[in-house]
Amino acid sequence: MPGREDVFQKYMNDGHSAAWDQQWEKAAVSYRAALEEFPDNPKALNNLGLALHQLSRFDEALDIYKRVSQLSPEEPVALERIAQLSERLGDLKGAVDSAMRAAEMYLNQRDVDKAVENWVRVTTLNSDHIMAHSRLALIHEKLGHIKPAVAEFLAVASLLQRAGNFEKTAELINKALSISPESPEAKQAQALLKSGQLLPKPVRQKGGTGPIRMAQIKELESPTRPISSGLDPVAEARQKALTRLAEALFEYNDESPAAQERRGLQAIMKGTGQLSLQQAEQTKVVMHLGQAIDSQTKNQELQAAEELEKALEAGFKHPSLYFDLGMLRFKSERLESALRHLQYSVKHTDFALASRLLLGQIMVRMARYNEAAVEYLEALKLADSYVVPADLSDEIRQLYEPIIEAQSVQKDESALKVLCENIHKMLMRPDWRETLVKAREQLPKAEGEVPLPLAEVVIQAQSSQVLESINQIHTLARQGRLRSAMDAAFEALAFAPQYLPLHTLMGDLLVQEGRAPEAIAKFTTVAQAYSVRGEPNQATKLLRRVIELAPMDLAARSRLIEQLTARGQVDNAINEYLDLADIYYRLAELDMARKTYTTALRLVQQSSADRSWNVHILQRMADIDMQRLDWKQALRVFEQIRTLRPEDKTVRQNLVELNLRMARSEQAFAELENYLTYLESNRQGAEAISFLEDLLIEHGDQPALRRALAGLYQQAGRTADAISQLNTVGESLLGKGDKDGAIAAINQILMMNPPNADAYRKLLAQVGGG
């Protein structure tokens, strides 16, 4: 059954609108819906591929572009995207093959620049690729690019020399000399060849480090490992950490418009602390991270750890680095160093389980068995929460609290060792998820909806009394007997004074009793305890409770932001920053509000947050600058928004008006011309007229604006309106004594053949003669 064109077009328009606002998830949903109607539509597929690319879902995007390439085999764009994605995923051969095919297609279409771009990509990924260097040499020679042509001919000569083709090597060196007889590189190559020495190998260009390191990571795990067997939690986290580090290399080497945009934003954020690494530091980070990955993939782990330390010193601080460095230090028996680094990575969702397991092993080796048992039980708590239904994971975690507390004061070392060994065997294995699921099946069925914690398999903890007390407290609270419920809670504390869910329950009772200040104090204390334990999820929930009870508690909101950032929940953290800034704004503390917005903007730039935040935050900053009458700063912010959203009429209007207010007429009219050109190129003539009409409401004394509006009226066939504007211009200029300007306006009117042309000629004679 054929698809519905109207439905297809609606979803495509929805996708375009979302993409324009950089709401890529929403755009992807719309494009998928459009493809339901026409599954093989290349435009919809290309747009979906772009959305997935922006969402960093590279594998899915690659599949989409491969499909586009099959549907449109003569179209080079899809092949180019396949090359870019393959490069990002570490498939160097796929990237090289696709880029070569794309280059040839572009050349056939006479798009030489794109062909060169793809051949350069090939030589960046594989500096020994003779065909790509040969193509570049011939193209540069043809285009008269002397220095690049010489470099490429010498690169081919070097590769052929190593292949044993000395005759062709000499021929290519002579070719380079014929293009540039004074080239020192060509002369040196000729001297080396005559003395029987090897020519320098082609130099890999900037940008190849990330793809090459990513490819090394893909090959790191044994290719003979069955896919179904998976990895143990530490190996999983190691792979994830190395992948994140390789992705950082892409970020630092990125010369894309998006990266340039981020660099443009740095000027807006000036004076707000460490915004991003300086160029010299970036160079160091790229070098040390690249060498660390290279060493680790070659099992040179001591060297890898040293390079990671240097990257850390250069300013690169990320949970992936802390975890990888902590793991390497543990393997080399530098336990104190490992402990220090893992205490940072344990807070991040991606590395929490593996960090707990490594911390447990460290504590065992240090003979700190109580702490080891706590770390292993924390690891089991996390793993257990991963295999139960998502809606039960928080409750499962809470059931571990009395068990963990009991083990923290356990005196029997042999029992603690057995506990650690049991959990280690259960989790440190490739099939740990399947093992946990099978172990769950052995548990007795729990009364009610919440299943028992898996810790019951490895230890018989005396937690039943605490759980019974909690059930009693809930029963009393439901009956409205809040005082009795609180008494029961205090009695339960005697069995488990550090059982945090019990303290949280007491906070709930305080809220029900209307004792908000005491509840806030309780929740804040418990949140801090959870944070210290490395439980940011629970800490976050409690801090949100505090904010609900006391929206103006700035300290709680700041701690919440720290927790969200530590967990990698950057978009949520940015939301909290905006709420915090809004509070400052309502308190009329504009400086603090703007500083908070600036911090939020910096977080967007330093993370994988949705880039649509940029415009949203910048607009708030510009509003504050306007209120403070800091026009110069407002102008800079509006210029940045204009770069990000060229279609925004209000921003364009602000730019013109601000420049006029600051007596920067030339810049104002340059901005105006830029926007009118943009509207014209997008066939939005009516918008251009409306824009100028709005400007004239406030700036009717600007003849240049009226002349521009007159020109648009004339183009639109509104001759009478155009003449009316020019009349006003002429009268204004005459009033100011600008006869030449007035004459130009009258002549412009006469060119439109007005019905009273004689009157204008008479006026022209009077003005000119006077």
Side-chain angles (χ1 to χ4, degrees), residues 452-597:
L452 290 171
L454 254 179
E456 298 289 355
V457 173
V458 292
I459 185 172
Q460 292 299 318
Q462 298 299 314
S463 58
S464 58
Q465 197 162 6
V466 180
L467 297 178
E468 286 172 13
S469 296
I470 288 177
N471 286 331
Q472 182 190 7
I473 295 164
H474 280 300
T475 301
L476 291 168
R478 280 194 297 269
Q479 294 172 354
R481 298 164 62 186
L482 299 179
R483 177 64 61 185
S484 298
M486 186 64 81
D487 290 341
F490 276 112
E491 288 173 13
L493 281 179
F495 304 113
Q498 296 180 16
Y499 182 41
L500 296 183
L502 182 56
H503 287 278
T504 304
L505 183 53
M506 294 172 74
D508 292 334
L509 292 172
L510 290 167
V511 171
Q512 291 179 57
E513 288 181 353
R515 297 160 61 186
E518 293 96 324
I520 289 170
K522 174 63 78 174
F523 288 144
T524 302
T525 303
V526 179
Q528 182 64 26
Y530 271 124
S531 181
V532 170
R533 287 187 184 183
E535 278 269 24
N537 188 46
Q538 295 298 329
T540 297
K541 286 190 171 186
L542 287 165
L543 288 169
R544 286 197 188 283
R545 294 288 307 277
V546 172
I547 291 169
E548 285 172 13
L549 292 168
M552 306 301 283
D553 190 330
L554 303 183
R557 199 177 290 273
S558 296
R559 285 195 295 273
L560 175 58
I561 290 169
E562 289 172 11
Q563 293 292 337
L564 292 169
T565 306
R567 293 185 65 204
Q569 295 181 314
V570 181
D571 286 315
N572 290 336
I574 293 165
N575 250 325
E576 292 299 333
Y577 270 127
L578 298 190
D579 288 345
L580 179 58
D582 188 51
I583 289 171
Y584 282 128
Y585 185 87
R586 282 185 273 130
L587 292 171
E589 295 186 26
L590 298 185
D591 286 342
M592 285 302 297
R594 196 184 192 284
K595 185 177 179 181
T596 306
Y597 284 131

Side-chain angles (χ1 to χ4, degrees), residues 385-404:
S385 70
Y386 295 158
V387 298
V388 297
D391 58 332
L392 298 177
S393 61
D394 281 345
E395 290 164 279
I396 275 289
R397 286 191 184 108
Q398 290 192 7
L399 292 174
Y400 274 81
E401 294 291 341
I403 301 171
I404 292 172

